[in-house]
Amino acid sequence: MLKQIENDLLRLISSGKGTYGISIYYFETEEEFVYNHDEEFYAASIIKIPIMSAVLAQVSEGKRSLSDKIRVRSEDMVSGDGILKNLTPGTEWTIHDLVVLMIIESDNTATNLLIDILGVENIQLYMTIWGFKQTQFRHKLQIKPSRKHNESNLITAKEMNHFLRDIAMGNIVSMSVCRKMIEIMKQQKMNDLLPSLLPENDGIIGMIPIWEMAHKTGYVPGVEHNVGLFYLPGHTFAISALSKNVPNRDEPKRIMSELGSLLFNTRELSRYINKS
């Protein structure tokens, strides 16, 4: 199926002035579409997915509990996305709550607290075990690190998409941990990229939704990312869409939203192909 829309995908990506890295995997046929998938990009908040996985790995190993409480001090609060920076210092939050806030609100304060608990080196060690090579985790968020290439958090579309595929197949830590991560990512509050043009899932209470997406976004000036698992009736995709050097935020928003819409419309394409 991806072969049938390959030219449409290439036209869409090439319509932008920025640099894009795209990896799409279609589970039902094992087809792949890739574009600059080995290109390295500044990770932004996409790095929070492996951090979540590392936290849950330590919980699975008995080193932590999701009910453990962490106190948020005023010196822990950092700028950027999230709500913790706006709340009263001294409040305690469970590790579970911090993981959820890190993913669905992209809370940077929650992220840094979890990094402090695990340690940068331990998170990178897990990532190495899980097969990351070019993808590197080197620093906390919103601390104005050097943007030198060898000092930055880096990702590639290829490695992120492979990791998403492993999560979907239950291969990271355990099946139950993978279900937990997907459940959290499905609660994502930032939906202005890949899913933004998809139809509303409104209807009869309890009905099966026409689509679901378990995903994470990432943004810093000049960089806009969206990666995740896209579920349609009879179709499942792993998608990693990365960008850099974009002239404005409108361009990657347009390209990624149209990408999501194009994949959504493969439902009709597949019906035509199956009948012919």
Side-chain angles (χ1 to χ4, degrees), residues 214-228:
H215 68 118
K216 182 77 192 75
T217 60
Y219 166 77
V220 295
V223 168
E224 195 93 43
H225 306 320
N226 199 180
V227 308

Side-chain angles (χ1 to χ4, degrees), residues 143-255:
I143 57 169
K144 301 189 185 310
S146 167
R147 286 295 182 86
K148 292 180 181 178
H149 185 78
N150 63 355
E151 297 176 9
S152 295
N153 295 337
L154 299 174
I155 56 173
T156 68
K158 177 182 179 179
E159 292 187 349
M160 279 309 307
N161 226 40
H162 192 275
F163 191 60
L164 290 169
R165 287 165 57 182
D166 277 343
I167 291 174
M169 300 303 293
N171 295 331
I172 302 300
V173 185
S174 69
M175 190 73 73
S176 62
V177 164
C178 289
R179 285 198 186 99
K180 180 69 174 175
M181 291 192 287
I182 290 170
E183 172 191 313
I184 291 171
M185 289 193 290
K186 280 186 177 181
Q187 301 172 58
Q188 178 59 242
K189 303 301 182 187
M190 299 177 180
N191 295 301
D192 59 345
L193 293 168
L194 286 169
S196 68
L197 294 180
L198 303 183
E200 294 293 329
N201 264 317
D202 295 335
I204 299 170
I205 294 174
M207 70 178 289
I208 297 172
I210 57 174
W211 65 270
E212 289 186 294
M213 190 169 284
H215 68 118
K216 182 77 192 75
T217 60
Y219 166 77
V220 295
V223 168
E224 195 93 43
H225 306 320
N226 199 180
V227 308
L229 298 167
F230 187 19
Y231 301 96
L232 298 164
H235 308 282
T236 308
F237 300 93
I239 313 167
S240 290
L242 312 179
S243 71
K244 62 184 176 182
N245 304 322
V246 295
N248 52 61
R249 297 194 72 179
D250 289 338
E251 179 184 290
K253 286 178 185 292
R254 173 185 61 80
I255 289 174

Side-chain angles (χ1 to χ4, degrees), residues 70-90:
I70 309 299
R71 187 181 302 277
V72 183
R73 306 164 301 171
S74 58
E75 56 264 40
D76 296 320
M77 296 178 174
V78 294
S79 60
D81 290 322
I83 62 171
L84 290 183
K85 67 180 186 293
N86 300 316
L87 303 182
T88 304

Side-chain angles (χ1 to χ4, degrees), residues 55-121:
V55 172
L56 295 179
Q58 290 220 330
V59 170
S60 180
E61 294 163 8
K63 298 175 182 177
R64 316 279 170 197
S65 169
L66 287 176
S67 61
D68 289 346
K69 292 187 175 180
I70 309 299
R71 187 181 302 277
V72 183
R73 306 164 301 171
S74 58
E75 56 264 40
D76 296 320
M77 296 178 174
V78 294
S79 60
D81 290 322
I83 62 171
L84 290 183
K85 67 180 186 293
N86 300 316
L87 303 182
T88 304
T91 305
E92 290 187 337
W93 295 76
T94 66
I95 287 179
H96 174 269
D97 291 340
L98 293 176
V99 170
V100 171
L101 288 172
M102 173 177 68
I103 298 298
I104 75 171
E105 297 281 355
S106 208
D107 196 298
N108 292 321
T109 297
T111 303
N112 285 353
L113 287 167
L114 293 170
I115 294 169
D116 285 340
I117 293 169
L118 270 67
V120 171
E121 297 80 6

